[in-house]
């Protein structure tokens, strides 16, 4: 993936302290452009990927956004800054609780958090104009495609555990779905019903 990153997005990246989202030994490496362990087998994504995925979403304040894999909440901050209402699902409760605290302390009031299996989406607030999945699954979870609005976009890494393709999925106004492969990436496993076995 080689993408132009908009100035407002890049400026926000420069303002947001990534170290704030990390605890323990990894914190010292916050400024490096690498994924870092945040415990529980999860990682805080590589900043380059956070920027690229956020750019691909083409977020606006009118957009209802679904995020799968809250993790540290770092990506969530970008979604809350540039999107409308943000709904973020995380499998591991301890991560979700901390991420919520961080996002609330930053002053965002437009993010909601849920503990559960994100491969089934979050039906209550569907459909979503934008969906972002920050863990790698073996397939595109069908319920996420269902919960995507007409005219909506989803970014999701899909492929074998070792490396995935970043997919951009677009649903047109008539509900037809198109999929584009944007290059190789590496994420931790997406678990759950439509992910890898836990
Ligand atoms: N965007 C996060 C990335 C966290 S790593 C950040 O930058 O911090 C991916 C996260 O996906 C992990 O926290 C993992 O627990 C979570 N995850 C894996 N499978 C999931 C599922 N089915 N539903 C919700 N979260 C899931």
């Amino acid at each position: 993936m080689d993408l132009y990153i908009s100035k407002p997005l890049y400026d926000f990246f420069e303002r947001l302290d990534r170290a704030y989202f990390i605890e323990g030994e990894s914190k010292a490496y916050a400024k490096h452009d690498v994924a870092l362990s945040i415990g529980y087998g999860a990682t805080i994504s590589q900043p380059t990927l956070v920027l690229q995925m956020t750019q691909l979403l083409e977020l606006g304040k009118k957009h209802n956004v679904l995020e799968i894999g809250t993790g540290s909440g770092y990506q969530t901050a970008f979604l809350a800054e540039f999107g409308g209402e943000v709904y973020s699902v995380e499998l591991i409760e301890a991560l979700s609780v901390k991420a919520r605290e961080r996002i609330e302390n930053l002053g965002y009031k437009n993010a909601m958090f849920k503990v559960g299996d994100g491969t089934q989406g979050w039906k209550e607030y569907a459909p979503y104009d934008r969906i972002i999945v920050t863990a790698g699954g073996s397939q595109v979870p069908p319920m996420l495609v269902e919960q995507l609005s007409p005219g909506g976009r989803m970014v999701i890494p899909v492929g074998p555990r070792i490396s995935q393709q970043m997919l951009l999925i677009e649903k047109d106004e008539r509900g037809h779905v198109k999929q584009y492969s944007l290059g190789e990436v590496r994420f931790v496993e997406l678990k759950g019903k439509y992910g890898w076995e836990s």
Side-chain angles (χ1 to χ4, degrees):
M1 272 196 298
D2 198 9
L3 264 181
Y4 169 79
I5 304 299
S6 77
K7 184 159 192 314
L9 177 51
Y10 195 79
D11 287 349
F12 181 70
F13 158 69
E14 290 206 309
R15 276 205 309 279
L16 187 65
D17 181 15
R18 187 169 178 246
Y20 173 63
F21 295 85
I22 308 172
E23 279 166 22
E25 294 170 17
S26 301
K27 206 178 179 86
Y29 302 95
K31 290 210 179 294
H32 296 225
D33 190 25
V34 291
L36 295 168
S37 168
I38 52 170
Y40 309 94
T43 59
I44 180 169
S45 301
Q46 185 184 353
T48 300
L49 273 177
V50 171
L51 285 170
Q52 290 178 332
M53 290 176 88
T54 309
Q55 182 73 46
L56 280 169
L57 284 177
E58 298 180 354
L59 288 169
K61 278 288 161 197
K62 284 191 196 138
H63 293 148
N64 230 12
V65 185
L66 176 67
E67 176 185 44
I68 308 305
T70 314
S72 66
Y74 182 61
Q75 171 77 67
T76 319
F78 287 77
L79 303 176
E81 177 72 16
F82 295 102
E85 299 299 318
V86 178
Y87 300 88
S88 188
V89 186
E90 168 59 51
L91 213 48
I92 295 162
E93 183 172 10
L95 291 175
S96 179
V97 168
K98 283 219 168 123
R100 179 204 297 252
E101 252 174 48
R102 291 180 183 126
I103 293 295
E104 284 176 359
N105 286 341
L106 287 173
Y108 293 107
K109 297 189 164 52
N110 57 334
M112 282 180 59
F113 297 84
K114 175 178 154 171
V115 177
D117 174 15
T119 66
Q120 300 178 59
W122 190 343
K123 214 168 168 202
E124 209 177 337
Y125 300 101
Y128 302 96
D129 307 301
R130 300 293 186 258
I131 299 179
I132 176 170
V133 182
T134 60
S138 48
Q139 57 170 318
V140 180
M143 293 171 91
L144 295 185
V145 179
E146 270 168 38
Q147 291 177 27
L148 187 63
S149 304
R153 316 181 125 219
M154 163 159 50
V155 287
I156 176 172
V158 173
R161 285 188 170 90
I162 182 117
S163 88
Q164 305 87 36
Q165 280 292 315
M166 182 59 73
L167 301 184
L168 169 65
I169 293 171
E170 289 180 346
K171 192 186 261 190
D172 70 17
E173 296 297 342
R174 299 202 318 253
H176 294 151
V177 175
K178 273 195 195 155
Q179 181 176 307
Y180 307 89
S181 249
L182 302 176
E184 197 173 305
V185 289
R186 217 178 150 177
F187 280 84
V188 304
E189 278 176 29
L190 179 69
K191 300 184 173 119
K193 189 168 178 199
Y194 300 99
W196 299 104
E197 275 171 50
S198 303

